[in-house]
Amino acid sequence: MSSKQSAQKSARKSTRDARAGGEKSHTPAAPEPAGPRPARLTAAAVLAALEGVTLLIGGVYLLIMGFAGKPDSPQQAETLAVTVLALAALPLAAARGLWQRKRWSRGPAMITQLMALPVAWTLGNAGGALIAAGVVLALVAVAAMVLLVNPTATEALGIGPRES
């Protein structure tokens, strides 16, 4: 190891040690929202949780049917089940964050609703009882988006207007 590399390594170590020793970060911490959770934020959290639980139930059902049923392609059935279970994590995490009034949770919650709209459209075009499922999913997604962009909910999450 050259002396230049050794000097760089010790400089990185001393910087790391200084940070660990109590040197404060330059980024200000986000203030915790005060007061009770608004009903609109609670409703958005419940809708996101409902979507997540529905995906979780669907994923477990697909997993069981992939093993116990007679699918044309067991590998494809299991892959679909695991994918649906993984997708359930996003709305469940968003719901928990919204419930706890975490600022980061609005993004995943909005992404979940945006992903739900094409699924609702596909269900609506499938025919039969799936039309009703598509309509319900579309209504839930739009309602959740409206709740998430509401000023009461954004203020409760600590998201305010941008300062110039």
Side-chain angles (χ1 to χ4, degrees):
M1 182 183 292
S2 71
S3 61
K4 185 176 180 180
Q5 289 172 332
S6 177
Q8 288 174 346
K9 185 176 179 181
S10 64
R12 282 193 303 262
K13 183 179 179 196
S14 65
T15 303
R16 196 172 39 241
D17 291 344
R19 282 190 205 136
E23 207 175 280
K24 293 187 178 181
S25 171
H26 295 290
T27 58
E32 289 294 319
R37 181 178 36 259
R40 291 178 178 149
L41 187 60
T42 302
V46 168
L47 289 176
L50 178 66
E51 290 171 331
V53 168
T54 302
L55 282 170
L56 191 64
I57 291 169
V60 169
Y61 173 78
L62 289 169
L63 193 63
I64 291 170
M65 292 311 293
F67 283 125
K70 303 274 189 234
D72 292 337
S73 171
Q75 184 179 7
Q76 190 175 15
E78 297 307 319
T79 301
L80 176 62
V82 170
T83 301
V84 171
L85 288 171
L87 286 174
L90 184 64
L92 290 173
R96 185 167 189 254
L98 290 171
W99 189 263
Q100 295 176 343
R101 296 171 67 176
K102 301 292 183 185
R103 182 182 190 144
W104 60 263
S105 62
R106 190 173 86 150
M110 288 296 285
I111 289 169
T112 298
Q113 307 321 313
L114 291 172
M115 288 185 335
L117 291 174
V119 173
W121 179 262
T122 303
L123 288 172
N125 288 330
L130 294 178
I131 293 174
V135 169
V136 169
L137 180 58
L139 290 174
V140 167
V142 170
M145 284 193 288
V146 168
L147 291 168
L148 288 168
V149 298
N150 185 281
T152 305
T154 57
E155 288 174 17
L157 291 172
I159 303 169
R162 294 181 186 225
E163 297 177 14
S164 300

